[in-house]
């Protein structure tokens, strides 16, 4: 009799079935995308059933896919300052809304919640993801009943991304000031903010004023693989 070993991915597919949108393995990591309706139910299965045993929630965060796949880099032609210079353009986040975004390889929904789970018993890690159905008012079920540690993570995600966690026992801002307008980790939130805050010595209180600095475009750094890094690693100083 020949014994067959069922892979971890196949076991996930077999158990979660209709709750699944997709299962993907890349770079030694497994990512499971779930439907919003089965988010909490699937998490409970992954926690309680011995073949999975993901008893620890390590992290929970939000993702804004506005501008996903587009960039404002000059990466083909070289200038006297080198490659990868940021250029002016209209394709970057903050200069278009979700409906008018450049169409690329990005998802059809804007906001997602990503959770990292760990099973000490089985020495496994797993990433689960869920997209909010509504781009205007993103709502995802809370995982507090399954993983109580998710409480503050979900409050942070609500504060910074505006994702509402249905069923959360105390969903309110946790990092921004009272009366803060907007969600600062959304990609259409201005880098300069909406207001300036300072202490007014004459009024003897904190005052809010319009932003006085010019808006700017943030351009991320690109790290390239080339021979310079390999040379730097192999060139060791002589002991003689």
């Amino acid at each position: 009799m020949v014994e067959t070993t069922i892979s971890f991915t196949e076991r996930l597919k077999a158990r979660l079935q209709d709750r699944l949108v997709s299962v993907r393995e890349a770079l030694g990591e497994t990512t499971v995308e779930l439907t919003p309706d089965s988010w909490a139910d699937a998490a409970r299965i992954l926690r309680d059933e011995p073949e999975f045993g993901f008893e620890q929630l390590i992290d929970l965060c939000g993702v804004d896919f506005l501008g996903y796949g587009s960039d404002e880099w000059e990466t083909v032609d070289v200038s006297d300052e080198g490659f990868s210079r940021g250029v002016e353009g209209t394709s970057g986040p903050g200069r278009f809304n979700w409906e008018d975004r450049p169409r690329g390889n990005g998802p059809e929904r804007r906001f997602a919640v990503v959770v990292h789970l760990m099973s000490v018993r089985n020495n496994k890690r797993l990433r689960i993801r869920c997209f909010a159905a509504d781009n205007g008012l993103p709502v995802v079920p809370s995982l507090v009943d399954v993983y109580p540690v998710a409480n503050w993570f979900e409050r942070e995600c609500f504060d910074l991304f505006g994702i509402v966690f249905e069923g959360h026992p105390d969903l309110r801002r946790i990092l921004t000031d009272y009366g803060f307008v907007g969600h600062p980790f959304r990609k259409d939130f201005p880098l300069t903010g909406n207001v300036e805050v300072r202490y007014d010595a004459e009024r003897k209180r904190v005052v809010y004023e319009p932003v006085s600095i010019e808006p700017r475009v943030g351009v991320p750094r690109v790290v390239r693989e080339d021979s310079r890094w390999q040379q730097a690693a192999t060139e060791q100083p002589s002991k003689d």
Side-chain angles (χ1 to χ4, degrees):
M1 180 178 180
V2 179
E3 293 185 1
T4 59
T5 302
I6 303 176
S7 69
F8 178 58
T9 300
E10 293 303 319
R11 283 187 282 131
L12 286 169
K13 290 179 180 179
R15 182 63 184 88
L16 297 177
Q17 296 184 353
D18 295 340
R19 302 174 180 88
L20 276 177
V21 176
S22 65
V23 180
R24 179 173 178 266
E25 286 192 6
L27 302 176
E29 297 181 341
T30 304
T31 302
V32 174
E33 185 176 330
L34 299 162
T35 63
D37 293 341
S38 64
W39 181 240
D41 182 42
R44 188 171 284 104
I45 291 173
L46 293 171
R47 182 197 66 180
D48 293 344
E49 298 196 1
E51 66 173 323
F52 303 118
F54 290 100
E55 69 274 8
Q56 292 190 20
L57 184 148
I58 303 300
D59 188 29
L60 181 151
C61 67
V63 182
D64 181 0
F65 283 89
L66 180 66
Y68 180 85
S70 64
D71 60 62
E72 295 184 356
W73 286 95
E74 184 62 59
T75 57
V76 178
D77 297 328
V78 64
S79 69
D80 57 355
E81 296 180 351
F83 285 99
S84 301
R85 313 314 303 173
V87 297
E88 294 295 330
T90 58
S91 63
R95 287 180 294 285
F96 56 83
N97 56 34
W98 176 256
E99 289 73 20
D100 300 329
R101 71 193 185 281
R103 301 287 174 166
N105 298 322
E108 290 302 315
R109 294 177 180 175
R110 176 174 175 180
F111 295 103
V113 175
V114 178
V115 170
H116 290 260
L117 302 176
M118 183 171 72
S119 172
V120 176
R121 177 194 313 162
N122 298 321
N123 192 25
K124 279 282 189 181
R125 292 178 182 266
L126 179 69
R127 180 190 297 113
I128 61 175
R129 181 175 68 180
C130 172
F131 279 90
D134 191 332
N135 297 320
L137 180 61
V139 179
V140 171
S142 174
L143 293 184
V144 172
D145 287 343
V146 184
Y147 298 103
V149 72
N151 191 319
W152 280 22
F153 286 116
E154 290 181 350
R155 284 183 58 187
E156 180 184 37
C157 186
F158 165 71
D159 192 357
L160 300 179
F161 288 94
I163 298 174
V164 176
F165 290 88
E166 187 176 12
H168 191 284
D170 185 24
L171 192 62
R172 54 194 170 96
R173 291 185 183 269
I174 193 172
L175 294 176
T176 55
D177 195 9
Y178 298 105
F180 189 90
V181 177
H183 303 282
F185 274 19
R186 289 190 175 190
K187 291 184 178 177
D188 53 3
F189 188 86
L191 293 178
T192 57
N194 293 314
V195 294
E196 290 181 355
V197 182
R198 68 176 179 86
Y199 179 77
D200 191 306
E202 294 183 358
R203 303 182 192 179
K204 299 186 183 303
R205 65 178 178 86
V206 173
V207 296
Y208 294 83
E209 297 174 337
V211 177
S212 60
I213 60 177
E214 290 293 328
R216 62 183 178 86
V217 177
V219 182
R221 176 182 297 176
V222 169
V223 178
R224 297 185 177 279
E225 298 291 342
D226 60 34
S227 61
R228 290 177 299 169
W229 315 122
Q230 185 176 2
Q231 292 170 2
T234 56
E235 292 176 0
Q236 299 294 334
S238 175
K239 296 182 180 180
D240 297 335

